[in-house]
Amino acid sequence: MLRGGCQRVGARLRGLRRGPRGPAEIARRGVVSCIDPSMGLNEEQKEFQKVAFNFAAREMAPHMAEWDQKELFPVDMMRKAAQLGFGGVYVRTDVGGAGLSRLDASIIFEALATGCTSTTAYMSIHNMCVWMIDHFGSEEQRHRLCPPLCTMEKFASYCLTEPGSGSDAASLMTSAVRQHDHYILNGSKAFISGGGEADIYVVMCRTGGPGPRGVSCIVVEKGTPGLSFGKKEKKVGWNSQPTRAVIFEDCAVPVANRIGDEGQGFLIAMKGLNGGRINVASCSLGAAHASVVLARDYLKVRKQFGKPLANNQYLQFQLAEMAARLVASRLMIRTAAMALQEEREDAVVLCSMAKLFATDECFVICNQALQMHGGYGYLKDYAVQQYVRDSRVHQILEDEKYCCLQSWSDWSEPACP
């Protein structure tokens, strides 16, 4: 009996040495099942996630390359998406929004980004702008501005960054001087997504002294005299959304278009960016998820040395590490989204951490997927290169490290603890 027992233990130990564990276990079970984005969701969330995935596959993915190469802004597609509630995902229902949570929004944007990351990123910015009006605007402003934005009859752009103020957003110089019942705006905004195409510009401008307390938020509508736009920027990615400078030259805007009180603009801008960071990180998730699937499928069909690359253990382990990075990023983003929805004290830092971590990790995933494609991955015939280009900018915009590190000692309601 003792000898038999030892033999059984020895067999188990040998099985542990050669059996599937860690990366090999992921490879054995299948990468796609391990990165299933529906895990942990309730039935309602699974249902609208399915709707978003189907929409992305049907209405976005077949046109993604054309939008990128021809630099087309897919207005008709976005209006179709708005019919499903994707124009105002976390906007209140009385003004046409879907009334969903921040977690729900993350789930939707991740799914849509598998079809076109660039276009979904713009849609997420649009959603952020509509929420800012819905949350901080008056009842008159909410009911006047939000309904056409939720249907995407009109499009919105977020105007914070200036040529001389990027991460140091509180040093912005665009001025708004009050004259009777109007503000006269002068200055310019840089790198504005949707610039020139959008109908509503949510503008942070200086109505008071230096620093964050002097900033107000004003809605400027397209066609206002004194509003103009710079040339369309030529970008590495994000080509389905136009990017231009937005210029104000003695641009007269009614005081009725100010969102919130004077001096509240910087708080509004930062509150918007809390959700914006979750949104753009979710777009990175979608790009990374699609890239993992593309890499897996390519490894199955590409043969070298007489066998599929999928049989190569080194590549199996790399694919497993990509899956682990993706799942870790998704968990971090969803944790932050729930914290923001619950208005927890740690929500701002969690949103910043999630954006920092996920955009970095997801870019690594996309880039590794391209590498697995070899020379083919560098051709525009293969979608993986577009996910790389479109997700790269997510590591640059909405600077989360600044938010985590900056001291807001002069701000009564800090954007970060």
Side-chain angles (χ1 to χ4, degrees):
M1 289 181 63
L2 181 59
R3 178 178 297 176
C6 290
Q7 288 174 342
R8 286 193 295 273
V9 171
R12 288 174 186 161
L13 290 174
R14 288 191 296 275
L16 285 174
R17 286 200 301 269
R18 64 173 180 263
R21 293 295 186 269
E25 177 74 3
I26 297 174
R28 184 181 72 84
R29 291 179 180 273
V31 166
V32 172
S33 64
C34 295
I35 62 171
D36 179 5
S38 68
M39 287 193 296
L41 305 184
N42 61 40
E43 291 305 312
E44 184 181 23
Q45 290 168 333
K46 289 179 182 179
E47 187 59 36
F48 58 65
Q49 182 188 59
K50 180 180 178 181
V51 170
F53 269 123
N54 288 341
F55 184 86
R58 185 179 66 254
E59 301 289 346
M60 300 175 77
H63 310 290
M64 180 177 81
E66 181 185 11
W67 296 339
D68 173 67
Q69 292 170 23
K70 295 182 180 179
E71 299 186 0
L72 300 177
F73 191 50
V75 169
D76 291 340
M77 182 282 296
M78 288 189 285
R79 287 176 177 159
K80 286 183 181 179
Q83 294 174 10
L84 299 174
F86 299 157
V89 177
Y90 48 101
V91 174
R92 284 176 279 181
T93 57
D94 65 323
V95 291
L100 299 179
S101 71
R102 300 303 185 122
L103 175 58
D104 300 336
S106 173
I107 294 164
I108 289 168
F109 291 136
E110 177 185 356
L112 292 177
T114 63
C116 181
T117 304
S118 167
T119 307
T120 305
Y122 171 75
M123 292 172 65
S124 80
I125 296 167
H126 171 91
N127 270 263
M128 178 180 71
C129 292
V130 187
W131 175 83
M132 291 165 67
I133 297 170
D134 178 46
H135 191 75
F136 292 99
S138 66
E139 286 301 305
E140 185 277 329
Q141 290 168 335
R142 292 180 63 244
H143 288 274
R144 171 166 59 92
L145 297 170
C146 290
L149 292 173
C150 288
T151 62
M152 287 190 155
E153 174 191 341
K154 293 184 177 181
F155 296 94
S157 287
Y158 179 80
C159 301
L160 176 64
T161 300
E162 296 183 359
S165 62
S167 297
D168 186 12
S171 68
L172 64 86
M173 297 298 291
T174 296
S175 63
V177 178
R178 184 163 182 170
Q179 292 185 4
H180 307 294
D181 59 350
H182 282 74
Y183 287 105
I184 309 302
L185 274 66
N186 282 282
S188 64
K189 298 293 181 176
F191 308 124
I192 304 305
S193 294
E197 299 293 334
D199 306 280
I200 298 293
Y201 296 87
V202 182
V203 181
M204 308 307 148
C205 48
R206 191 162 299 285
T207 55
R213 291 178 181 276
V215 176
S216 296
C217 177
I218 297 176
V219 166
V220 181
E221 299 177 64
K222 190 176 183 180
T224 302
L227 172 65
S228 62
F229 308 97
K231 67 177 179 64
K232 186 177 177 180
E233 304 289 358
K234 303 294 289 185
K235 307 188 298 291
V236 172
W238 270 27
N239 290 318
S240 68
Q241 49 167 294
T243 301
R244 293 183 175 94
V246 177
I247 303 164
F248 309 98
E249 297 174 297
D250 293 328
C251 182
V253 182
V255 171
N257 278 21
R258 187 189 69 223
I259 305 298
D261 298 328
E262 276 200 6
Q264 196 181 8
F266 197 73
L267 173 65
I268 294 172
M270 295 299 104
K271 292 283 189 180
L273 284 180
N274 292 337
R277 292 184 175 110
I278 294 295
N279 295 347
V280 77
S282 300
C283 292
S284 286
L285 281 180
H289 182 96
S291 296
V292 170
V293 174
L294 288 173
R296 178 209 60 174
D297 292 346
Y298 181 80
L299 294 181
K300 285 183 176 180
V301 299
R302 175 65 168 167
K303 290 185 177 180
Q304 289 291 279
F305 308 104
K307 59 183 179 181
L309 291 178
N311 291 354
N312 184 289
Q313 190 179 55
Y314 172 73
L315 294 175
Q316 290 176 1
F317 282 14
Q318 283 198 319
L319 204 60
E321 290 177 4
M322 292 158 67
R325 291 175 189 270
L326 177 58
V327 172
S329 297
R330 182 180 291 128
L331 291 172
M332 199 166 187
I333 290 169
R334 292 182 179 179
T335 298
M338 289 187 288
L340 185 61
Q341 185 68 32
E342 296 165 3
E343 299 182 345
R344 283 167 31 193
E345 290 184 4
D346 59 351
V348 177
V349 171
L350 287 176
C351 290
S352 297
M353 289 178 174
K355 192 268 178 181
L356 171 64
F357 181 85
T359 56
D360 283 351
E361 293 299 311
C362 289
F363 179 76
V364 169
I365 293 168
C366 295
N367 196 45
Q368 185 59 53
L370 187 153
Q371 187 72 23
M372 287 178 166
H373 281 71
Y376 291 106
Y378 205 62
L379 301 180
K380 288 194 174 181
D381 294 329
Y382 289 75
V384 67
Q385 52 75 33
Q386 189 170 337
Y387 290 118
V388 172
R389 290 186 291 108
D390 284 342
S391 63
R392 179 62 183 87
V393 72
H394 299 176
Q395 296 173 281
I396 300 172
L397 48 79
E398 297 182 6
D399 191 358
E400 66 290 333
K401 292 182 283 293
Y402 174 84
C403 183
C404 284
L405 298 175
Q406 176 69 15
S407 169
W408 297 94
S409 58
D410 63 338
W411 189 244
S412 58
E413 187 172 352
C416 273

